[in-house]
Amino acid sequence: LSDAGKEHLTWRLEKGKSFSDWTIVVRSAGSIEPVEYNVHRHMLATGPRKSGYFETMLLSSGQYQESGNSMSTIELPADVVSAFPTFLDYFYAPFSEVKGVITQENWMQLRHLADYFLVSELSNAVSTFIESDMNNLERTEMYLKMAVEEGNEALIAHAATVCITDILHIKEDSSLVYSMPPAFFWHVMVYSSQFLTEIFRADLFQRDKAAKTIARLICSYLGRHGRDLGLPYFLGIFDQIVCLMPSVTPINCHNAVAIVNLFLDLFKENNWEIMWFPRRDDAGFVSSGQ
């Protein structure tokens, strides 16, 4: 907290100086010694940033053994304990400093603590932080994996939006590309093509460059996953992105041929047989064995 923030009511003073009325003892597995935190019930259990866990415990004081000596003992995972002081700072921080409590280093621990102690405002704040931080392509992959594992549709949708709007800056051989689930990659390629077709409608040169980028991304992804996904997957994507692909004219012949060669290499790599090559409005591919 800043110096201004520390001038407010705080848990960081000694018990006699802070006039605290509750003590939280935090334990964790391993050799870490228990740590006592002298806090204020009002700060933890009331207001928009309140903890549902502490509110319920303090309102039902007669039903909780902890309430008899104004103390709670809590056991937390070892990798979360270090963030507990920051978690308390969240309750005490002036409104103007709340956002600064969450960082790249502690968001995961604070997310766990928010869920455990039922602090909905902190959960929302962490989600907002994740969405903002996900806009950096260097960290999109990490958040996408987490969202997929959790089945978090809102974060998956946000990751898709980030990838679509920043598609021209995604490297074809990046781990972000290879880590995309097939349905997610399909979605990103299809909507990226529509997005690029629209923004470069009047600039055929940039549109053809964008088409080559999309083709490279598709070939890179299917170069890694093509044998598992098969030719129908490629055909499904190609059918949806054909609007972006360049027509073969004397002006853009180079880009068109380059894209054709990328797809030819992809077919050879996956042992897909070409019955005839696609035109803009007609495609006929048959994989070997089908």
Side-chain angles (χ1 to χ4, degrees), residues 6-275:
K6 291 176 182 177
E7 291 178 0
H8 290 74
L9 187 66
T10 178
W11 61 270
R12 291 181 176 272
L13 297 175
E14 295 178 5
K15 188 172 184 178
K17 295 181 179 180
S18 68
F19 300 102
S20 66
D21 55 6
W22 197 268
T23 300
I24 300 175
V25 179
V26 176
R27 303 177 183 273
S28 73
S31 59
I32 301 177
E33 293 295 324
V35 179
E36 291 189 1
Y37 299 94
N38 300 309
V39 299
H40 305 81
R41 291 181 292 180
H42 174 76
M43 299 301 292
L44 300 184
T46 64
R49 286 181 259 169
K50 68 182 179 181
S51 159
Y53 174 97
F54 288 114
E55 179 187 32
T56 299
M57 181 180 68
L58 294 171
L59 288 176
S60 307
S61 58
Q63 302 176 28
Y64 284 83
Q65 181 178 357
E66 294 101 322
S67 302
N69 54 5
S70 298
M71 179 179 293
S72 308
T73 299
I74 299 166
E75 185 164 338
L76 296 172
D79 60 341
V80 173
V81 169
S82 62
F84 194 79
T86 306
F87 175 66
L88 293 180
D89 284 341
Y90 171 79
F91 294 99
Y92 286 81
F95 181 79
S96 61
E97 297 185 17
V98 168
K99 290 184 178 179
V101 170
I102 307 168
T103 67
Q104 292 176 18
E105 290 73 29
N106 66 25
W107 69 265
M108 192 174 297
Q109 291 92 335
L110 290 179
R111 189 169 185 248
H112 175 94
L113 290 167
D115 290 343
Y116 184 88
F117 290 105
L118 305 177
V119 188
S120 59
E121 283 295 311
L122 180 55
S123 294
N124 294 336
V126 172
S127 294
T128 299
F129 173 86
I130 290 173
E131 290 187 0
S132 177
D133 201 40
M134 192 188 296
N135 293 332
N136 186 325
L137 286 175
E138 293 182 356
R139 293 188 285 278
T140 303
E141 177 186 354
M142 172 184 66
Y143 293 120
L144 174 59
K145 286 182 177 178
M146 179 193 73
V148 170
E149 289 174 359
E150 297 178 353
N152 190 320
E153 296 295 335
L155 286 182
I156 292 173
H158 186 76
T161 299
V162 170
C163 292
I164 291 167
T165 56
D166 216 10
I167 191 67
L168 297 180
H169 296 99
I170 297 179
K171 296 180 180 179
E172 63 193 74
D173 59 349
S174 66
S175 58
L176 170 59
V177 172
Y178 297 139
S179 69
M180 292 181 185
F184 182 91
F185 182 80
W186 179 310
H187 178 90
V188 169
M189 291 301 101
V190 170
Y191 283 93
S192 292
S193 297
Q194 296 176 6
F195 171 69
L196 295 171
T197 299
E198 184 62 30
I199 65 174
F200 293 137
R201 185 174 296 279
D203 190 338
L204 294 182
F205 176 75
Q206 290 298 331
R207 176 173 163 178
D208 289 351
K209 285 181 62 178
K212 192 173 182 180
T213 297
I214 292 294
R216 287 185 179 278
L217 288 168
I218 291 172
C219 290
S220 179
Y221 185 80
L222 290 178
R224 177 72 65 92
H225 302 298
R227 292 187 182 275
D228 295 327
L229 298 175
L231 179 60
Y233 181 88
F234 168 79
L235 292 179
I237 289 183
F238 186 84
D239 183 59
Q240 296 296 316
I241 69 168
V242 70
C243 62
L244 180 65
M245 294 298 108
S247 299
V248 180
T249 67
I251 296 176
N252 68 357
C253 181
H254 177 76
N255 277 330
V257 170
I259 290 174
V260 168
N261 287 332
L262 284 171
F263 288 145
L264 283 173
D265 289 341
L266 176 65
F267 271 63
K268 293 177 182 177
E269 187 175 352
N270 287 289
N271 196 30
W272 295 336
E273 183 180 346
I274 307 174
M275 296 302 292

